Amino acid sequence: MKRIPEPELMDEADQARAYAEADFSEANTLFLDCFRNLHPSPLNEARILDLGCGPADITLRLARSYPRCQVDGLDGADAMLEHGRSALIDNPDLAGRVRLIHDRLPSDRLAGRDYDVVVSNSLLHHLAEPGVLWGTIKQCAKPNALVLVMDLLRPVTDTAVDALVETYAMDAPDVLRRDFRNSLYAALSVEEVEIQLLEAGLEKLEVEIVSDRHLTVAGYL
Ligand SMILES: C[S@@+](CC[C@H](N)C(=O)[O-])C[C@H]1O[C@@H](n2cnc3c(N)ncnc32)[C@H](O)[C@@H]1O
């Protein structure tokens, strides 16, 4: 099936609210599990960047799991970040170590190769030009940085899209069902991601299918 890109930013208020209120604990736990498999030992005073952090659930989970680390989350949609700011108010113990940055990629504010760890969940499929994510990682990650990108995998048929929407969004609000369907069509295949990594000079990163709808791109630069 051909890729059908969707709008990049999730900046409609009702869309951001529905997303922030939805239960993504299964996918977000899978993300954290993949992170721990990649790096089983503690992280000491590392700087972590979460690209396309949305309402910052994974950003905050990382800050809680790695209490010696500074975690920055970046998103282009202020409507999404507003939910992240609220979550941070509810978790004041994390406030000194978490920074939420409002900016759209590609971003000049990330130049400097400062980050020890760069992560991203469900951003890649939003990008009209996915190379923007790989370019950003090269721009802001230190040599030998740890990278974990997780995203949806594009199904092979319309029937498979319908089945995933039924399985995972049957009772979800209309706006979430719409977004999930659009996201599945906008997602990439393993082969497309591998070509992008080759073109970006990031072929050390490995692509792996980790669930019936997710792939990861992971490794050390
Ligand atoms: C599906 S959400 C994922 C949010 C979060 N990472 C999570 O796992 O719940 C994708 C996010 O990427 C953001 N985004 C899309 N394109 C972007 C860009 N070019 N620059 C910055 N953020 C972007 C959207 O605004 C949205 O908040």
Side-chain angles (χ1 to χ4, degrees):
M1 255 184 357
K2 210 169 153 351
R3 178 181 189 221
I4 306 174
E6 66 173 334
E8 286 204 348
L9 300 185
M10 296 177 66
D11 49 9
E12 298 164 19
D14 64 333
Q15 177 186 42
R17 190 180 327 104
Y19 191 91
E21 288 173 357
D23 180 6
F24 289 113
S25 55
E26 185 200 332
N28 293 357
T29 300
L30 173 65
F31 186 91
L32 266 287
D33 288 347
C34 290
F35 190 88
R36 285 190 201 101
N37 285 341
L38 196 58
H39 188 89
S41 44
L43 280 171
N44 287 324
E45 290 170 22
R47 294 196 67 208
I48 304 176
L49 174 63
D50 181 7
L51 293 167
C53 65
D57 184 59
I58 287 178
T59 319
L60 267 61
R61 284 179 185 233
L62 285 168
R64 195 164 291 295
S65 299
Y66 298 100
R68 297 173 64 113
C69 295
Q70 171 77 41
V71 191
D72 291 349
L74 175 142
D75 203 284
D78 201 48
M80 280 290 219
L81 285 178
E82 203 42 53
H83 295 280
R85 292 183 197 111
S86 299
L88 211 45
I89 289 169
D90 293 340
N91 291 272
D93 54 316
L94 302 180
R97 293 190 295 111
V98 175
R99 190 166 57 128
L100 298 179
I101 304 168
H102 181 207
D103 202 6
R104 183 173 190 158
L105 300 179
S107 162
D108 291 339
R109 290 168 64 188
L110 294 177
R113 310 195 78 190
D114 273 346
Y115 289 97
D116 306 281
V117 177
V118 182
V119 301
S120 177
N121 182 49
S122 280
L123 165 67
L124 182 64
H125 73 268
H126 274 274
L127 297 172
E129 174 41 67
V132 164
L133 176 58
W134 311 123
T136 299
I137 290 172
K138 287 176 71 174
Q139 172 198 4
C140 68
K142 285 181 181 171
N144 300 318
L146 173 59
V147 174
L148 175 61
V149 172
M150 187 167 99
D151 211 289
L152 293 169
L153 182 61
R154 190 167 74 252
V156 180
T157 62
D158 295 317
T159 312
V161 171
D162 291 343
L164 286 171
V165 173
E166 277 312 296
T167 303
Y168 294 107
M170 192 169 63
D171 299 323
D174 288 349
V175 64
L176 270 188
R177 285 170 65 87
R178 175 203 73 184
D179 283 357
F180 184 46
R181 176 176 294 281
N182 289 344
S183 292
L184 289 167
Y185 281 108
L188 298 157
S189 66
V190 169
E191 294 71 25
E192 287 164 343
V193 173
E194 284 175 342
I195 291 169
Q196 289 163 15
L197 293 174
L198 207 60
E199 286 172 352
L202 291 174
E203 60 272 23
K204 278 172 81 179
L205 301 179
E206 284 190 18
V207 187
E208 192 183 343
I209 295 175
V210 291
S211 85
D212 60 350
R213 62 202 187 285
H214 294 106
L215 58 76
T216 56
V217 178
Y220 292 85
L221 293 186

